[in-house]
Amino acid sequence: MSGRGWLVTGGWLSIGAALLHLGCIAFGASWYRFFGAPPLIVRGVEQGQAWPHLATLGIAVVLGIWAAYAFSGAGMIRRLPLLRLGLVVISAIYLWRSLDLPIALVVIPEAVSPFVIWSSLIVAVYALCYSIGTWQAWRALGRKEQY
């Protein structure tokens, strides 16, 4: 797969994650609980507090922006500011987030839950898509006109 293909895949994965976050807002505590939200967040939703929904909306917006950067890097939309830097930072954040499982296994093994396992593995795929795509498209990302 080309750098463009990896970035398109990463962008769609980020869109999917954003939509799941919006689904949590729309469908409530059962969705938050199913997708592994911490008990504090689930309780806040059950008590009708706004902050869990606002935080989740913020995450969905960030994921949408990250998708836009992937699509921009793939040449699907106009070039966004600081494209190379943005894609490197997004790749690093996804990579960092994917390290929850290995860190938990070493530091606090009792904290390893199915959510930690699955979310770490899934986010590792996101990190790979953004990282490989950025690396393969690096030269094209530096040009005014891509692909």
Side-chain angles (χ1 to χ4, degrees), residues 75-97:
M76 294 174 62
I77 63 173
R78 73 174 185 80
R79 184 178 178 83
L80 294 176
L82 302 171
L83 183 58
R84 277 180 163 181
L85 177 63
L87 288 170
V88 168
V89 168
I90 293 164
S91 300
I93 293 170
Y94 274 136
L95 179 61
W96 179 259
R97 171 58 185 79

Side-chain angles (χ1 to χ4, degrees), residues 53-140:
H53 295 310
L54 293 173
T56 303
L57 179 61
I59 292 168
V61 168
V62 168
L63 291 167
I65 292 168
W66 290 1
Y69 268 82
F71 295 146
S72 178
M76 294 174 62
I77 63 173
R78 73 174 185 80
R79 184 178 178 83
L80 294 176
L82 302 171
L83 183 58
R84 277 180 163 181
L85 177 63
L87 288 170
V88 168
V89 168
I90 293 164
S91 300
I93 293 170
Y94 274 136
L95 179 61
W96 179 259
R97 171 58 185 79
S98 75
L99 295 176
D100 279 0
L101 177 59
I103 290 170
L105 285 171
V106 171
V107 178
I108 37 174
E110 61 275 5
V112 175
S113 66
F115 173 76
V116 170
I117 295 168
W118 284 109
S119 65
S120 292
L121 294 173
I122 290 166
V123 174
V125 172
Y126 288 50
L128 284 173
C129 288
Y130 276 82
S131 299
I132 293 170
T134 301
W135 177 66
Q136 288 184 349
W138 190 257
R139 225 178 253 185

Side-chain angles (χ1 to χ4, degrees), residues 11-32:
W12 282 114
L13 288 171
S14 292
I15 291 289
L19 291 173
L20 287 175
H21 281 80
L22 293 175
C24 288
I25 295 169
F27 299 112
S30 64
W31 272 53
Y32 281 95

Side-chain angles (χ1 to χ4, degrees), residues 31-42 115:
W31 272 53
Y32 281 95
R33 192 176 297 106
F34 177 80
F35 286 108
L40 176 67
I41 292 175
V42 175
F115 173 76

